[in-house]
Amino acid sequence: MYNAKAYSVASATSPFTSSTIARREPTEHDVQIEILFCGVCHSDLHQARNEWSGVMPTVYPCVPGHEIVGRVAKVGSAVTKFKPGDLAAVGCLVDSDGTCPECQAGLEQFCANSTLTYNFPDKHLGGVTYGGYSDSIVVTERFALRVPESLDLAAAAPLLCAGITTYSPLRHWGVTKGKKAGIVGLGGLGHMGVKFAHALGAHTVVFTTSESKREDALRLGADEVVLSKNADEMAKHAGSFDFILDAVSADHDINAYIALLRRDGNLTIVGAPEKPLPVSAFSLIFGRRSLSGSPIGGLAETQEMLDFCGRHNITSDVEVIPIQKVKEAYERLLKSDVKYRFSIDMASLKSE
Ligand SMILES: NC(=O)c1ccc[n+]([C@@H]2O[C@H](COP(=O)([O-])OP(=O)(O)OC[C@H]3O[C@@H](n4cnc5c(N)ncnc54)[C@H](OP(=O)(O)O)[C@@H]3O)[C@@H](O)[C@H]2O)c1
Ligand SMILES: [Zn+2]
Ligand SMILES: [Zn+2]
């Protein structure tokens, strides 16, 4: 074991403080990564504040962060994919059994024995896993991803959650040229969804509650932008979408979006609001529409997404912050005031 620096919260209402956490010494299949940047996902906020207490109660102290990019510092003797000095990334998963049908299919996100990057039982050290608001992390090499050298690292970090969480359902539901795709909520996930839907060739429509984001949505790749509070603007799109991705973090009316799907259209929820969302049976029945959810993505698809980003020069639009500003960043996230992802420069942790 060795000590790593981290930023943690001690309770749902405590502020973040600088602390020391235990990390394991890399075993033969592990890589130790010096973290350079970590994105701030709204899930970090939900978890730090125990907003998912019914499904995934938070164990304190909690160190969030699952959009991790860094450099390999050490490798175990059996590691073949990485050597010290290589770029490496870690997303929302740090382990899985590797043997179940889901893992065999490359869908580790559905493995019953997977380990999330934070707030999940740590099989090596006991207690829970600690995430990327830290100066280093140790993961088995299977869960470390390659980052295309051409990408800006601060802006690449959010690909590890916001990127894969939007890329995976867009691919799964066949969003491509000739399809009409909607993205609801222009936040960290939503803005990546727009970039991907556009790059995949779909006619892309953004739904936002923020009038001030209209121009940005067009710049990010949207063909049209709808202010969702405006009923007339919404009505113009009734029954027309093949696919809608809902990336909203708070309570909202999803029936208004289901009504915009065409026959056999699908709405996939990736946003994870604290409270259940009521669904009208009729909005699904008429038009044989379907409603789905989607969690992150498997390792192979995450690597595919990173490589796709390398080829298309896609990264997140980031505001780089020192870790000391994470509290302020959370407050701004709650006001939908980020363009469009905070990325923590981990060099700022050195001064703590
Ligand atoms: N499924 C998964 O695997 C997965 C992975 C990562 C994150 N998530 C979840 O996805 C959600 C979004 O995460 P994020 O990091 O992208 O969050 P974010 O950056 O805070 O973006 C959320 C966006 O939702 C919209 N919004 C916020 N409050 C709203 C309200 N009251 N009514 C309508 N729209 C509202 C805003 O967009 P506009 O200003 O454009 O309206 C906001 O920018 C979170 O719940 C997060 O936990 C799920
Ligand atoms: Zn996330
Ligand atoms: Zn498995």
Side-chain angles (χ1 to χ4, degrees), residues 40-44 46 52 66-67 92 161-162 165 184-191 206-213 228 246-253 257 269-274 293-297 332-338 340-341:
V40 176
C41 180
H42 206 115
S43 299
D44 301 353
H46 290 306
W52 292 335
H66 55 207
E67 296 184 333
C92 304
C161 176
T165 303
V184 188
L186 198 61
L189 266 60
H191 94 291
V206 166
F207 295 92
T208 180
T209 58
S210 310
E211 175 66 48
S212 62
K213 295 182 184 173
S228 52
D246 184 330
V248 174
S249 55
D251 202 15
H252 63 294
D253 176 18
Y257 296 100
I269 294 183
V270 287
E274 189 176 356
S294 184
I296 50 175
R332 285 180 52 197
L333 263 190
L334 288 173
K335 290 188 261 172
S336 304
D337 173 26
V338 50
Y340 279 86
R341 197 58 141 188

Side-chain angles (χ1 to χ4, degrees), residues 141-160:
E141 87 172 308
R142 200 158 57 90
F143 285 80
L145 295 137
R146 292 203 159 278
V147 185
E149 294 276 347
S150 58
L151 299 181
D152 176 79
L153 295 185
L159 300 176
L160 276 300

